[in-house]
Amino acid sequence: MAAVNGHVHTITALVEDRPGVLTRVSGLFRRRGFNISSLAVGASEQPNLSRMTFVVHGDEWVVEQVTKQLYKLVDVVRVNDISHEQVVARELALIKVKASADTRSEIIQIVDIFRAGIVDVAADTVIVEVTGDEEKVDAIMKLLKPFGIREVMRTGRIAMARGAAATGAKPASAPVAAQSAPDTEVVP
Amino acid sequence: MQLTGAQMICESLLREEVDLLFGLPGGAILPFYQTLPQYPKLRHILVRHEQNAGHAADAYSRASGRVGVCVATSGPGATNLVTPLATAMMDSVPMIAITGQVPRAAIGRDAFQETDATGITLPITKHNYLVMSAGDVPRVMKEAFHIARTGRPGPVLIDFPRDVLTEKAEFQYPESVALRGYKPTLEGHGQMIKRAARLIKEARRPVILAGHGVIISGAFAELRELAEKAQIPVITTLLGISAFDEGHVLALGMPGMHGMAYNNWAIDRSDLLIAVGMRFDDRVTGRLSAFAPNARVIHIDIDPAEVGKNVRVTVPIVGDAKRVLHALAREVEQATHVDWIREINELRREHPSDKVRESSKLLPQYVIRELSEVTDGRALLVTGVGQHQMWAAQHYHFKEPNTWLTSGGLGTMGFEVPGAMGAWFARPDKAVWSIAGDGGFQMTMSELATMVEHKVNVKFAILNNNFLGMVRQLQDLFHDRSRVAVEYSGNPDFVMLAQAYGIWATRVTERAQVRKAIEDAMAVDGPALIDFRVEPEENVYPHVPAGESVAEMVEGPTLEGEAAWRR
């Protein structure tokens, strides 16, 4: 489930867990005009460090700039573009769907097919919890839509490298001098 | 040792070898000011406007290579620092801004003179801090200075709530910083330096593009060594001016929108650009797709994000310009490029944009040329932004390193007055000239009073055309001469204005008066001002229209009608 899909990239960043760090990162994306479709933040395995996962749209130049500009933030410790790595990528969604006595069983069937779950039942709604990649979440939402979706909450993508190695074992651009030398043949 | 937050700031400043502050007090920062008398080694210059404190600290940093410090209170004090912080950020200038903030309990409650200083300055500082405990002051001060002056330098703002300034805590200044997310690369990659040397060996038409990074890292000797050893002509960007002696046979001057036309053509024909401490700004490149179409590019910069940002790079070298140039100069082979230099000289004859045209009128270029001669190219020039800035860049012949201070990236009008003041405090031995426009001068001229108070020996040359001249030029050249909001018909009498401050001043309206006025001003002990009433319709040439290529360059007043209109 490598996350490369056309021009979609998954980037993770290890950042100092300090007030304002999210503002610095999101401000940077806004100011430089980088297009992010999701951003997830949470604690990492290391004390005082949080891990952010971004899904960024753009070509290689954009990803390189995103990485380099993130590194310029003092609170950013490490940046990894894991788009080309073998990763497990997941997001979680909670979907509140209208459900009458007539439709409830049909909804439960769909939920079962997707190995999702129903975590709340009310007189005329249910809350569906689904975990998976974006395509899976999109697909179940498409099927639930005809019943009437009241509310949706999605966490955004988080991703982790498969196997024993740590995610982004090699930093995206740490020995900076070595990066991005376009082929000499390209420039006459 | 238990100290208040304010005392800890002062102790930290002394440990960072600061002896001068530019600032203006107010309620939230008051505990800091009331502490200053305990620290007589910290000299405070009281300004008339916080913006000017910022520009003065910026220019002080640029001129001295040390870290300038400015101080302001919360709210409007902090917001008035926005322009100088952005100016320093764009031009990679190390600077510390200390601001007061409302007491901790009042933060977020829209208290009197509360503003989110760190939020506002987030994108225009290299880093910033809101200090929420006196115990954090020593660490934050140490980190702030370290961040400001290392790597690609930049401004750092530190916001202190009023009750943090009075709170007591144990003071121990840290010996080092522990910033795991901040480790600038200084040494160039050996393999890349070898590749660069190989490209230089293969090149037939190489040019060096030297930028501000050469000046910041003090790589003057190293640049010269590389240029001479491999015989490579040196073009200096607007902020690279005075990185290379303009009397040197390999010195070509400025490129770009208002650069020397022959330089733009040389870049167009070049097969190798060696860019050092410059960032391929759009004023240099014009349309990127047409820029240097025949050239490979070696890009040396301390900021990895600049490498490959605008121009495709053949060999990237991230590192400090001084160290990389030193290594590269050792690696390259001795070479000559006689044919190429002859070709450039031919271009120079065909496109003589370094010449001042003959005219009986008082041309601004002529004033700059005379100033260059009278001061032997050894004055320290500080400018504002616009036509006068470009004329000074084009026609003053700089002989000494780091003698040109200008707001290049942000293009801040008004920099010329407080900037000249800050530069003089850094280098009081130099003849400091503020080359001013009548527009920019009026934005910040309130500092004349400060300069009188401290006998700041700055000479002002106002190139007065009663216009926002560069905007007028844009309207004339590209908007059918539709002049909108560019004429200053009610300018003050600048001579009388200066005299009101007790400043010696004179007016020059004829060519024949220029030299004597300059000499008279230099004989004055303290500030002096010359109001040069220059030809108001003069334009800056060459002019590459924004976003165009060198082929679209307008080299002189050839537009139909302009000649007639001059009479």
Side-chain angles (χ1 to χ4, degrees):
Chain A
M1 204 181 298
V4 186
N5 177 10
H7 288 325
V8 180
H9 296 259
T10 307
I11 293 174
T12 64
L14 209 54
V15 304
E16 296 283 355
D17 183 14
R18 288 198 191 120
V21 64
L22 183 58
T23 318
R24 288 179 199 279
V25 170
S26 59
L28 183 141
F29 279 100
R30 176 194 54 76
R31 185 173 97 70
R32 301 259 173 200
F34 299 136
N35 189 0
I36 49 174
S37 58
S38 96
L39 165 59
V41 199
S44 75
E45 72 286 357
Q46 299 173 59
N48 308 320
L49 288 178
S50 301
R51 184 167 274 114
M52 297 184 172
T53 310
F54 316 95
V55 178
V56 180
H57 290 263
D59 55 17
E60 293 296 329
W61 180 88
V62 168
V63 173
E64 186 182 316
Q65 270 294 306
V66 166
T67 307
K68 287 173 165 181
Q69 294 293 345
L70 279 171
Y71 263 122
K72 284 180 74 168
L73 297 178
V74 171
D75 288 336
V76 172
V77 177
R78 192 184 167 104
V79 184
N80 297 105
D81 178 2
I82 57 171
S83 311
H84 302 283
E85 292 185 27
Q86 288 294 317
V87 295
V88 180
R90 290 287 182 274
E91 76 172 298
L92 183 142
L94 296 173
I95 307 162
K96 191 177 283 180
V97 191
K98 276 209 287 195
S100 63
D102 295 342
T103 59
R104 194 169 292 141
S105 62
E106 204 177 333
I107 291 172
I108 290 169
Q109 267 189 357
I110 293 170
V111 167
D112 286 344
I113 292 167
F114 278 86
R115 287 187 208 141
I118 290 181
V119 291
D120 182 72
V121 182
D124 51 0
T125 58
V126 296
I127 297 179
V128 176
E129 175 195 309
V130 58
T131 308
D133 59 12
E134 287 87 340
E135 288 77 17
K136 178 175 168 184
V137 176
D138 289 344
I140 191 170
M141 278 181 46
K142 198 173 160 194
L143 291 175
L144 293 175
K145 204 172 171 195
F147 300 98
I149 291 177
R150 289 281 188 79
E151 214 175 350
V152 175
M153 297 206 185
R154 297 174 71 157
T155 59
R157 182 193 298 178
I158 56 172
M160 182 176 279
R162 291 180 183 275
T167 303
K170 50 180 196 310
S173 61
V176 228
Q179 79 204 347
S180 93
D183 212 354
T184 325
E185 276 75 62
V186 178
V187 184
Chain B
M1 176 168 50
Q2 288 274 317
L3 295 178
T4 65
Q7 286 173 320
M8 288 198 258
I9 297 172
C10 294
E11 292 284 347
S12 308
L13 289 172
L14 291 175
R15 281 164 177 77
E16 297 296 337
E17 295 174 348
V18 172
D19 53 16
L20 191 69
L21 317 167
F22 299 93
L24 198 150
I29 193 68
L30 208 55
F32 172 74
Y33 274 85
Q34 298 315 110
T35 305
L36 276 179
Q38 300 168 27
Y39 295 90
K41 281 185 186 161
L42 291 175
R43 184 179 181 198
H44 180 267
I45 305 299
L46 173 61
V47 296
R48 293 306 196 270
H49 191 297
E50 291 90 347
Q51 182 189 350
N52 301 332
H55 290 316
D58 168 324
Y60 178 87
S61 302
R62 295 187 203 224
S64 66
R66 301 166 67 185
V67 180
V69 180
C70 58
V71 187
T73 195
S74 64
T79 56
N80 279 342
L81 290 180
V82 165
T83 300
L85 285 169
T87 304
M89 184 70 177
M90 285 289 266
D91 289 349
S92 314
V93 179
M95 180 168 107
I96 298 288
I98 292 171
T99 49
Q101 181 57 276
V102 299
R104 282 168 288 188
I107 289 178
R109 297 170 65 188
D110 303 311
F112 175 65
Q113 291 195 330
E114 183 189 358
T115 192
D116 178 10
T118 46
I120 289 171
T121 60
L122 207 74
I124 52 168
T125 51
K126 187 172 172 187
H127 195 55
N128 62 22
Y129 294 91
L130 170 61
V131 183
M132 290 299 276
S133 160
D136 289 339
V137 173
R139 175 185 60 82
V140 167
M141 293 293 290
K142 179 80 186 177
E143 286 181 9
F145 274 88
H146 177 72
I147 290 168
R149 63 159 72 99
T150 56
R152 179 179 180 174
V156 178
L157 177 137
I158 319 171
D159 200 26
F160 294 98
R162 193 192 150 105
D163 57 336
V164 169
L165 294 172
T166 53
E167 186 181 42
K168 281 196 167 180
E170 184 65 24
F171 179 78
Q172 195 176 18
Y173 205 60
E175 303 230 318
S176 58
V177 295
L179 291 166
R180 46 189 168 181
Y182 180 76
K183 291 188 176 64
T185 308
L186 299 179
E187 299 292 347
H189 196 288
Q191 215 51 41
M192 292 293 158
I193 289 170
K194 283 205 169 64
R195 278 181 63 186
R198 216 158 46 231
L199 288 196
I200 291 172
K201 189 183 173 186
E202 290 167 11
R204 295 264 171 275
R205 296 183 164 95
V207 289
I208 292 172
L209 300 176
H212 199 196
V214 174
I215 293 173
I216 293 169
S217 72
F220 309 104
E222 291 78 5
L223 172 65
R224 190 183 169 129
E225 195 190 339
L226 174 68
E228 287 178 349
K229 189 171 174 189
Q231 204 179 65
I232 306 171
V234 179
I235 291 174
T236 38
T237 68
L238 177 65
L239 285 182
I241 288 174
S242 78
F244 195 70
D245 179 356
E246 295 192 358
H248 196 286
V249 64
L250 290 170
L252 293 183
M254 187 168 72
M257 179 177 275
H258 296 299
M260 301 293 113
Y262 53 84
N263 281 341
N264 290 335
W265 286 116
I267 290 170
D268 192 61
R269 294 184 186 183
S270 168
D271 62 359
L272 178 66
L273 304 183
I274 304 153
V276 191
M278 58 84 72
R279 56 188 177 85
F280 292 104
D281 180 82
D282 56 277
R283 304 285 109 159
V284 167
T285 63
R287 179 153 30 94
L288 277 171
S289 58
F291 177 71
N294 306 303
R296 299 179 180 187
V297 177
I298 299 167
H299 195 174
I300 301 165
D301 204 287
I302 199 159
D303 181 357
E306 290 301 346
V307 179
K309 188 181 79 177
N310 292 336
V311 167
R312 294 200 73 153
V313 175
T314 321
V315 176
I317 306 178
V318 174
D320 177 69
K322 191 181 176 81
R323 299 191 196 198
V324 174
L325 284 175
H326 177 74
L328 188 56
R330 282 207 316 201
E331 196 69 37
V332 295
E333 290 173 24
Q334 204 106 25
T336 55
H337 295 102
V338 180
D339 290 345
W340 172 226
I341 287 166
R342 194 175 294 138
E343 192 177 334
I344 293 175
N345 285 337
E346 191 58 39
L347 284 169
R348 204 164 180 159
R349 268 191 297 279
E350 288 167 20
H351 306 276
S353 40
D354 52 341
K355 297 278 186 295
V356 177
R357 71 184 167 88
E358 291 296 321
S359 171
S360 58
K361 291 175 175 159
L362 180 59
L363 295 184
Q365 301 94 317
Y366 175 79
V367 172
I368 299 292
R369 200 46 77 76
E370 287 287 289
L371 181 66
S372 185
E373 283 180 21
V374 174
T375 56
D376 191 29
R378 296 178 194 282
L380 196 165
L381 262 56
V382 184
T383 79
V385 170
Q387 289 185 315
H388 71 279
Q389 176 193 32
M390 291 299 121
W391 286 317
Q394 291 175 337
H395 296 291
Y396 193 89
H397 291 155
F398 295 85
K399 290 188 178 164
E400 293 185 5
N402 195 20
T403 48
W404 163 254
L405 310 188
T406 197
S407 168
L410 196 68
T412 307
M413 284 174 68
F415 184 80
E416 58 261 59
V417 182
M421 178 169 76
W424 180 83
F425 276 105
R427 284 156 82 178
D429 56 306
K430 293 296 292 181
V432 178
W433 277 85
S434 168
I435 311 298
D438 53 297
F441 183 80
Q442 290 181 81
M443 287 184 168
T444 49
M445 64 186 187
S446 53
E447 285 329 300
L448 290 179
T450 313
M451 294 162 93
V452 169
E453 283 164 3
H454 297 280
K455 283 196 90 171
V456 172
N457 195 5
V458 163
K459 315 303 176 190
F460 290 94
I462 303 181
L463 302 185
N464 181 1
N465 54 15
N466 293 313
F467 275 120
L468 295 170
M470 189 58 95
V471 186
R472 188 220 16 95
Q473 173 168 343
L474 292 174
Q475 291 175 346
D476 284 357
L477 292 183
F478 307 115
H479 297 273
D480 299 325
R481 271 177 226 141
S482 167
R483 294 184 174 179
V484 186
V486 286
E487 187 170 5
Y488 278 163
S489 55
N491 267 348
D493 179 324
F494 288 110
V495 174
M496 284 178 67
L497 180 87
Q499 286 165 350
Y501 284 97
I503 291 174
W504 181 93
T506 189
R507 173 168 299 114
V508 169
T509 54
E510 308 287 333
R511 285 165 62 96
Q513 303 166 328
V514 172
R515 189 167 283 248
K516 181 167 187 309
I518 293 170
E519 287 165 352
D520 287 350
M522 293 182 74
V524 173
D525 181 23
L529 183 148
I530 309 172
D531 178 21
F532 290 103
R533 307 299 290 265
V534 297
E535 162 59 29
E537 307 279 345
E538 189 66 12
N539 286 342
V540 177
Y541 293 108
H543 192 148
V544 182
E548 294 291 353
S549 73
V550 60
E552 270 74 46
M553 177 162 54
V554 185
E555 284 198 50
T558 53
L559 285 191
E560 198 187 325
E562 186 172 350
W565 187 49
R566 271 169 193 285
R567 266 178 238 128

